[in-house]
Amino acid sequence: MRAIDIIIKKRDGLELTKEEIEFFIHGFTEGTVDNYQASALTMAIYFRGMTDLEATYLTESILHSGDVLDLSAIHGVKVDKHSTGGVGDKTSLVVGPLVASLGVKFAKMSGRGLGHTGGTLDKLEAIPGYNISICEEDFVRQVNSIGIALVGQTGQLAPADKKLYALRDVTGTVESIPLIASSIMSKKLASGADAICLDVKVGSGAFMKNVEDATKLATLMVNIGKNCGKDMTAILTNMDEPLGLAVGNSLEVIEAINTLNGNGPKDFTDLCLEVAAHLVLSAKKASTLDEAKKLLLEQIENKKALETLAALVEAQGGDKAYILNPEMFPKANYTFEVKAQADGYISHIDALAIGNAAMMLGAGRSKIGDAIDHSVGIVLNKKVNDKVCRGETLAILHANKEDVVEEEQLLLEAFCISKSQVDSQLILKIIK
């Protein structure tokens, strides 16, 4: 078998076999298939696409290029969630404790943020002392003990994906749906969960800009997961405005705590309940979605979910006092209000612009290795369809610098004000 024959076969639009894909990915990982050959194959995939079965074989080959977490020692159904990345997306901090408080085992490996999207690990590290790196044995023990662990990905998780993405990033093949799906699902499957709920973002602040492309991606990821024996759900959600009100690490942790106290923004609370309910169903802890949501709301009302978040933080070395007293989080030195320039209704909030403004304040990274300032960010005062009067505050910038002219202008331009309300919905589609 030769790499060039596999490249030519895909170039000509033919379906690759499991053996051919395994040969190519193994060779690429080991260095016997060169970077330029892998680049040629990814470009052929970009133009010719892949069948669901090919994408499954590709995912499995990438998955088995490194470590696969063995969670068999964890009792019960193990669940996980994944978001394709958005602005103000702190759902893991709420969904995990919610489902774990009902006895559903939530075992999750998370990533860091890059660009305008925030990473769960960066938010967790806003909590003093929180340790994102624990060994597999402690990970399993912790999930069995308190029902939840939220840690960083190991260095040997799907190494072929890391190599492939580096090539895709410089060869114009990032946007290929089969390559995106195999990248995401290889890491999710390597994490060892039995059931996975995918939150696929759609809109200006998301990677997928329209429902059609997002549906293709979500459907393929669900099919890959099912082909690998997993219980799968994908939820397409609107990212044409930030999720919730807070954007920025400490600010988002505080909002997650408020949500577990029953005081979260409606859109954020609704999404957390939707994702969590599907995981509760997968774990057979409820027979209907409505029943699952009722159980989850009870866990918010009786503070059991909040207690589970505090237990998680304590188990991983963090100071749980911050969860019980969120006013302890350090605050930025300055706040600046961005005011509306007209009367009307908010018709659109450019999530990408909001995310970029937060990144410029220091809440995110423009490149890997950039330091994060956990205290800075943006808090929205208005959401889509809210009425606004000229001079009212649209958003507040939390900054550790006095010159925020550029960020203020970005925020001002992010808010579109019209004379009437618009049709807007958070959950666009559910794929199972």
Side-chain angles (χ1 to χ4, degrees), residues 341-363:
Q341 304 295 299
D343 299 337
Y345 294 91
I346 306 297
S347 59
H348 176 70
I349 304 174
D350 187 339
L352 177 59
I354 300 288
N356 283 335
M359 179 181 68
M360 289 161 63
L361 290 170

Side-chain angles (χ1 to χ4, degrees), residues 40-59:
L41 183 63
T42 58
M43 187 62 77
I45 292 170
Y46 179 88
F47 282 112
R48 290 295 194 170
M50 283 185 135
T51 65
D52 286 5
L53 204 53
E54 279 181 294
T56 300
Y57 295 150
L58 178 60
T59 302

Side-chain angles (χ1 to χ4, degrees), residues 63 68-69 71 80 107 109 139 157 186-193:
L63 157 71
V68 177
L69 204 58
L71 301 185
D80 194 0
M109 289 187 171
F139 181 87
L157 202 72
S186 62
K187 294 190 287 288
K188 283 292 99 183
L189 294 171
S191 298

Side-chain angles (χ1 to χ4, degrees), residues 260-312:
L260 290 173
N261 271 311
N263 304 315
K266 185 179 186 309
D267 64 331
F268 178 58
T269 301
D270 287 349
L271 178 57
C272 289
L273 288 171
E274 186 75 24
V275 173
H278 283 284
L279 293 176
V280 168
L281 276 181
S282 294
K284 305 292 190 291
K285 296 289 185 178
S287 54
T288 68
L289 211 57
D290 286 342
E291 181 191 349
K293 288 181 182 178
K294 182 181 177 182
L295 291 172
L296 292 162
L297 283 168
E298 288 174 0
Q299 298 305 91
I300 292 175
E301 290 166 9
N302 63 24
K303 306 298 182 185
K304 295 294 185 184
L306 182 68
E307 291 169 12
T308 302
L309 176 61
L312 165 69

Side-chain angles (χ1 to χ4, degrees), residues 372-401:
I372 289 283
D373 185 340
H374 290 107
S375 65
V376 302
I378 295 160
V379 177
L380 307 182
N381 270 32
K382 298 290 182 180
K383 295 279 285 182
V384 168
N385 281 329
D386 284 351
K387 188 174 183 179
V388 64
C389 298
R390 182 183 175 88
E392 268 194 285
T393 300
L394 296 172
I396 300 172
L397 282 81
H398 295 248
N400 282 324
K401 59 181 181 178

